[in-house]
Amino acid sequence: MTERTVLGIESSCDDTAAAVVRGSAGAAAVMSSVVQNQTALHADFGGVVPEIAARAHAERLDDCVARALEEAQLTLAEIDAIAVTAGPGLIGGVVSGVMCAKGIAMARGLPLYGVNHLAGHALTPRLTDAVPFPYLMLLVSGGHCQFLIVSGPQEFRRIGGTIDDAPGEAFDKVARLLSLPQPGGPAIESRARDGDAERFALPRPLLDRAGCDMSFSGLKTAVLRQRDKLMQANALKAVDQADLSAGFQAAVVDVLVEKARRAMAEYAPLTEIRSICIAGGVAANKAIRSGLETVAAEFGATLVAPPLALCTDNAAMIAYAALEQMPHRAPDGLTLAARPRWPLDATAPAMLGSGKKGAKA
Ligand code: KG4
Ligand code: ZN
C-alpha cells in the first residue's frame, strides 16, 4: 500500500495538538506528536470555557505545527496531506484548527481531510496494535462514553452510550464534591484504594434496562446526598472521602463491566478473532481495566489499551484516521465546515445532554 506522510491537527476541546504520522492503514508510525494542554487556563472556572479555549488554540496552533514538523525532522515540502478534526467539539476550537489546516493546505497545494474526532479515537488501536476489524471499542473520557463496533475505517456502529454525563466528568464532579483535587479520576482512584466500597449503598444506574446505554449523573447525585448527610454531623473525614471514593468507583466499574458484557454479546458473533479496545483518560483506571479484562476473558477476547498518550486527545490519531480513510474517500475542499455535532453512526438515535467539555455527539 502507498506510504504517505500526514500532518494532523486537533483542537476540538482543551488540548492544542499537531502530529506527523507516516505509513499506511495498519502499518503506520508516529513521527511526532505535540500536545499542549490548557488546564491552567481553565482551572479557575470549573470547566472548559469555550471562548478561552478557542483563542488559545488560535494562538498556539502555528507553534504546535512547527514543533511537530521539527520533531519529525521534516519540512512541509515532505508532507503529502493535511488532516484536521472537523468535529464534534467546541465549535470555536474546531474552527481554529480547520482554518489553520486550510491555510497550510492552500499555501502548499496539499489535499485536506476533515476527520471526525471520535473516528480518531476509534481507529487508534489499529495505529498502536494493528487490531483487525471488526473490534469492539469503548470510548471513556471526560467528554465521551460510547460502545462502538468498528468494522472499517468509516464503519462505526454505536451500540450504546451515556445519556447524560461521561464517566470522566462524573469522576471530576465527585472529586469536587469530596474536596479532592482535579483531575478527579486519579484522585478518586488513589483514595478508593483505602476505602470500603460497601459502606454506602450507591445505585448502578440503568443496569435494569436492556441494552448498552449508561447514565452517571444520578450516581453523582447519590454521592452528593451521602456527603451532605455525613456533613450534617461533622466535617468530611479522610475515611469518609475514601469510602465514598471506593463506593463511587465500584459503581462505575459495575456499570461499565455489565454494559461491556452486553456489548460483547452483540459483537462476539461477528468474528472469531475478538478484541475489546479502550480509549480515553478514564481507561487509565486500574479497577475499570481489570473489570474489562474479566469480560474480555469470558468471550475469548483480547483487551487492547493503547498507551495513554495516544488514548487521550492528540493529533496523531487524526493524522492516522486520515491515512486509514484515504483509500476510501475523496479529500475535502477548502469549503470543509467545522461541525459542533457529528455522530459517528448517523443511524444511531441522538444522545441526550452535552457535558462541560461540549457535545458528546
Ligand atoms: O481523554 P481525556 O484526557 O480528556 C478529555 O476527556 O478531554 O480524559 C480526561 C478524563 C478526566 O475526566 C479524568 O478525571 C479522567 O479522564 N481520568 C480518570 C483517570 N485518569 C484520568 N478517571 C478515572 N480513573 C483514572 N485513573
Ligand atoms: Zn477525545
Side-chain angles (χ1 to χ4, degrees):
M1 228 183 270
T2 327
E3 274 226 332
R4 291 225 166 74
T5 308
V6 179
L7 171 68
I9 293 173
E10 153 66 37
S11 58
S12 64
C13 188
D14 56 351
D15 291 304
T16 314
V20 178
V21 173
R22 174 175 281 174
S24 58
V30 178
M31 312 282 291
S32 65
S33 179
V34 175
V35 181
Q36 285 188 27
N37 78 52
Q38 303 178 1
T39 315
L41 295 180
H42 304 284
D44 291 342
F45 302 97
V48 177
V49 183
E51 288 74 14
I52 295 178
R55 192 162 310 159
H57 287 307
E59 281 166 6
R60 296 171 176 193
L61 273 163
D62 287 358
D63 177 54
C64 258
V65 168
R67 280 177 47 204
L69 288 168
E70 197 181 305
E71 283 179 27
Q73 300 190 324
L74 293 172
T75 65
L76 274 178
E78 292 156 288
I79 297 295
D80 299 316
I82 311 290
V84 63
T85 300
L90 299 172
I91 191 65
V94 181
V95 168
S96 301
V98 167
M99 294 310 288
C100 172
K102 281 183 184 176
I104 300 172
M106 190 159 71
R108 305 294 315 185
L110 291 171
L112 171 68
Y113 290 84
V115 170
N116 183 309
H117 176 87
L118 299 167
H121 279 305
L123 293 168
T124 299
R126 294 190 36 83
L127 167 63
T128 57
D129 295 83
V131 173
F133 296 122
Y135 52 90
L136 179 66
M137 184 81 212
L138 170 60
L139 296 182
V140 268
S141 72
H144 327 294
C145 179
Q146 48 189 306
F147 285 106
L148 296 164
I149 294 175
V150 185
S151 306
Q154 300 186 99
E155 286 168 61
F156 308 97
R157 186 151 71 84
R158 185 165 72 72
I159 55 173
T162 183
I163 60 165
D164 42 52
D165 290 354
E169 202 175 345
F171 269 98
D172 293 341
K173 287 179 181 168
V174 166
R176 220 167 280 133
L177 294 179
L178 301 181
S179 309
L180 296 175
Q182 295 293 314
I188 290 192
E189 182 171 18
S190 94
R191 290 302 169 109
R193 257 174 235 131
D194 310 317
D196 171 6
E198 316 259 289
R199 177 169 157 208
F200 302 103
L202 294 170
R204 268 65 177 157
L206 296 195
L207 272 199
D208 53 349
R209 201 193 287 177
C212 303
D213 280 344
M214 291 161 281
S215 158
F216 296 98
S217 161
L219 178 56
K220 171 199 66 197
T221 311
V223 174
L224 171 67
R225 291 224 180 84
Q226 291 292 354
R227 181 206 68 169
D228 287 350
K229 243 192 245 170
L230 290 167
M231 286 180 68
Q232 273 171 4
N234 276 307
L236 209 61
K237 297 198 219 63
V239 63
D240 300 330
Q241 284 176 322
D243 293 347
L244 279 170
S245 294
F248 166 76
Q249 182 174 277
V252 174
V253 171
D254 282 355
V255 170
L256 286 175
V257 162
E258 179 52 29
K259 296 288 175 165
R261 191 170 279 128
R262 293 182 199 173
M264 261 293 186
E266 209 161 314
Y267 157 73
L270 302 179
T271 175
E272 297 278 292
I273 309 161
R274 296 173 189 149
S275 317
I276 172 166
C277 309
I278 43 176
V282 182
N285 188 287
K286 296 208 175 61
I288 293 173
R289 277 190 192 212
S290 93
L292 294 173
E293 288 276 9
T294 310
V295 178
E298 286 168 18
F299 288 85
T302 314
L303 178 71
V304 178
L308 207 58
L310 292 173
C311 258
T312 55
D313 287 353
N314 68 85
M317 68 180 190
I318 302 303
Y320 179 71
L323 267 180
E324 279 269 359
Q325 293 179 351
M326 270 173 200
H328 309 277
R329 59 173 273 204
D332 292 290
L334 291 174
T335 52
L336 171 67
R339 302 171 63 171
R341 283 188 179 263
W342 184 0
L344 261 187
D345 178 353
T347 63
M351 291 165 94
L352 304 173
S354 86
K356 70 179 163 73
K357 294 194 165 180
K360 288 184 210 68

